[in-house]
Amino acid sequence: MKLVCQCGTVNQFSIEKLDQTPKCGICHQNLFTGEPIEVTSERLIKHIEHSALPVLIDFWAPWCGPCVNFAPIYSEFAKTTGNQLRILKVNTEANQQVGIDFNIRSIPTLALFLNGEEKGRMSGAMKLGQLQQWVVQQLNG
Ligand SMILES: [Zn+2]
């Protein structure tokens, strides 16, 4: 299976290694840090195209109050999902093209991708329980 490191390297390893704290072959950091990975638009595409796991993206901006309030909930979610999801966030102010490319009309917007395909999208901040439920629904729907 493939996963993209926060350094941008596409790592390939056997699925059994997923539970053994896989590290990046290039920068040697853990592939799972328990925190959302902040990405640029270029890295975002790389994750969507190469991740063997579902990719969850928070489209946000520093000037957006609800986005800032949602950040700790999103971090908490990243801690609880361990190595089952790829949890990303992209600053739409610093990466303005990404908002256009992904047709983001309001923020925060959450989008979930699996095998390069968008499985679901939700605008507006959620509580932790809602977020967990929403992700499960998108993956099973
Ligand atoms: Zn790396």
Side-chain angles (χ1 to χ4, degrees):
M1 61 179 288
K2 284 182 181 176
L3 277 185
V4 182
C5 174
Q6 45 187 323
C7 76
T9 304
V10 180
N11 283 263
Q12 192 156 15
F13 53 93
S14 64
I15 195 152
E16 297 81 47
K17 289 243 167 74
L18 189 59
D19 294 328
Q20 302 166 8
T21 323
K23 286 185 166 50
C24 173
I26 300 297
C27 73
H28 307 294
Q29 294 182 81
N30 287 339
L31 288 174
F32 296 96
T33 60
E35 283 291 326
I37 304 172
E38 187 87 50
V39 292
T40 59
S41 43
E42 192 189 331
R43 289 270 171 86
L44 177 60
I45 304 293
K46 215 169 179 179
H47 277 275
I48 290 172
E49 287 179 350
H50 295 290
S51 182
L53 295 174
V55 178
L56 181 65
I57 308 151
D58 174 21
F59 295 90
W60 74 290
W63 50 262
C64 155
C67 298
V68 173
N69 291 338
F70 177 64
I73 295 167
Y74 198 57
S75 290
E76 188 61 37
F77 182 67
K79 282 192 191 77
T80 62
T81 52
N83 53 15
Q84 302 159 55
L85 287 172
R86 222 53 186 134
I87 312 270
L88 311 178
K89 57 194 295 180
V90 58
N91 180 338
T92 56
E93 190 181 38
N95 301 275
Q96 295 197 357
Q97 187 61 35
V98 94
I100 299 163
D101 292 346
F102 286 83
N103 196 22
I104 304 301
R105 293 159 188 273
S106 66
I107 50 173
T109 286
L110 290 171
L112 188 70
F113 284 79
L114 182 61
N115 300 323
E117 271 179 48
E118 185 168 337
K119 301 288 283 182
R121 182 181 285 214
M122 173 78 107
S123 294
M126 284 183 263
K127 294 198 168 78
L128 183 60
Q130 290 174 309
L131 176 57
Q132 288 164 331
Q133 201 177 19
W134 180 79
V135 167
V136 170
Q137 279 169 355
Q138 306 315 303
L139 291 175
N140 294 333

